[in-house]
Amino acid sequence: GAVVSQHPSRVICKSGTSVKIECRSLDFQATTMFWYRQFPKQSLMLMATSNEGSKATYEQGVEKDKFLINHASLTLSTLTVTSAHPEDSSFYICSALPWGLYNSPLHFGNGTRLTVT
Amino acid sequence: SQKIEQNSEALNIQEGKTATLTCNYTNYSPAYLQWYRQDPGRGPVFLLLIRENEKEKRKERLKVTFDTTLKQSLFHITASQPADSATYLCALAGGGSQGNLIFGKGTKLSVKP
């Protein structure tokens, strides 16, 4: 149980285009999902916290107009990288916190490798 | 500010030996600490959670200790196998939203046959 599906696993796009990444909790409801970015040999850096039915909370230094987050249902959050640039190339990972289980471990998706050319 | 350090970027050991990974933290008093495993190109997978009032936690060949005085957690894999080769991350609650975790950079473990 507790599977998080992230799609796509890999995407290559041209500079200036937008890319949407989906994160779904398959067998549980998640009022809170988290989006991380990971550069090679670096730790996961939290970008934003996505709450179902409300606006996302962004970490300092993360542009909310560039990284659009929508959490429209208890099982789906999306991250859209708008007007992507080569420096946005990274590994993006989502995680979900099962509803009602505070302080429980997070369930992670398998990540999306974004390459902007 | 809160800081988490996994002081070995890489650890190479022989199959059958015990691997010991270290996680230190500063400017922090976490209620619990978690360890995750991450394989290349994949998301982290939860392994163990240990609370501040627990000294030790075990799961099969895994053992985690938590010393709140030293501000340190040790992660042990006994009878290590090549399949244990991966990056291991420690994580602490980052405050704010429930589930908000701060991760260390990880230690890449390589177990040689």
Side-chain angles (χ1 to χ4, degrees), chain A residues 9-81:
Chain A
S9 58
R10 237 175 237 283
V11 59
I12 301 172
C13 70
K14 291 187 184 299
S15 188
T17 61
S18 294
V19 173
K20 180 187 279 190
I21 302 170
E22 290 188 351
C23 181
R24 292 180 185 273
S25 56
L26 295 186
D27 50 1
F28 65 99
Q29 293 183 330
T31 52
T32 304
M33 290 186 176
F34 301 91
W35 287 96
Y36 294 84
R37 182 166 51 184
Q38 187 177 35
F39 292 104
K41 294 191 177 182
Q42 297 296 312
S43 65
L44 282 77
M45 296 301 297
L46 180 66
M47 298 175 66
T49 302
S50 169
N51 295 298
E52 186 266 337
S54 64
K55 290 184 179 180
T57 304
Y58 290 82
E59 296 300 302
Q60 193 172 8
V62 178
E63 299 175 57
K64 62 179 181 180
D65 294 329
K66 181 170 183 62
F67 298 99
L68 302 179
I69 291 173
N70 184 280
H71 194 154
S73 77
L74 287 172
T75 59
L76 173 64
S77 176
T78 61
L79 168 69
T80 301
V81 183

Side-chain angles (χ1 to χ4, degrees), chain A residues 6-13 19-22 35-44 79 81 84-94 109-117, chain B residues 38-43:
Chain A
Q6 191 172 337
H7 179 80
S9 58
R10 237 175 237 283
V11 59
I12 301 172
C13 70
V19 173
K20 180 187 279 190
I21 302 170
E22 290 188 351
W35 287 96
Y36 294 84
R37 182 166 51 184
Q38 187 177 35
F39 292 104
K41 294 191 177 182
Q42 297 296 312
S43 65
L44 282 77
L79 168 69
V81 183
H85 292 286
E87 57 264 31
D88 298 324
S89 298
S90 188
F91 191 52
Y92 292 85
I93 310 175
C94 71
N110 271 325
T112 297
R113 174 73 60 192
L114 171 63
T115 303
V116 184
T117 60
Chain B
Q38 186 176 23
D39 289 283
R42 313 283 280 188

Side-chain angles (χ1 to χ4, degrees), chain B residues 32-33 49-52 54-57 64-66:
Chain B
Y32 60 88
L33 183 148
L49 180 153
I50 186 165
R51 302 186 191 283
E52 60 178 340
E54 297 175 315
K55 297 291 185 190
E56 182 179 296
K57 201 85 169 275
V64 171
T65 62
F66 194 9

Side-chain angles (χ1 to χ4, degrees), chain B residues 1-112:
Chain B
S1 61
Q2 300 160 345
K3 197 173 178 183
I4 301 173
E5 285 185 349
Q6 293 185 250
N7 57 0
S8 294
E9 188 174 315
L11 179 64
N12 300 312
I13 64 168
Q14 204 67 32
E15 182 176 8
K17 300 292 185 184
T18 297
T20 299
L21 285 64
T22 305
C23 177
N24 294 292
Y25 58 92
T26 56
N27 299 328
Y28 206 53
S29 295
Y32 60 88
L33 183 148
Q34 301 181 24
W35 283 89
Y36 288 79
R37 168 180 173 145
Q38 186 176 23
D39 289 283
R42 313 283 280 188
V45 174
F46 170 75
L47 296 175
L48 281 168
L49 180 153
I50 186 165
R51 302 186 191 283
E52 60 178 340
N53 60 349
E54 297 175 315
K55 297 291 185 190
E56 182 179 296
K57 201 85 169 275
R58 291 176 186 262
K59 179 182 175 183
E60 297 172 353
R61 293 183 298 111
L62 308 180
K63 184 178 87 171
V64 171
T65 62
F66 194 9
D67 189 324
T68 54
T69 302
L70 291 178
K71 295 186 181 295
Q72 181 181 82
S73 175
L74 298 179
F75 177 80
H76 305 274
I77 305 176
T78 58
S80 61
Q81 304 166 1
D84 296 326
S85 298
T87 296
Y88 292 85
L89 309 170
C90 72
L92 299 171
S97 298
Q98 294 291 343
N100 179 355
L101 294 179
I102 298 175
F103 285 85
K105 285 188 179 181
T107 296
K108 184 175 181 180
L109 174 67
S110 296
V111 181
K112 305 295 183 186

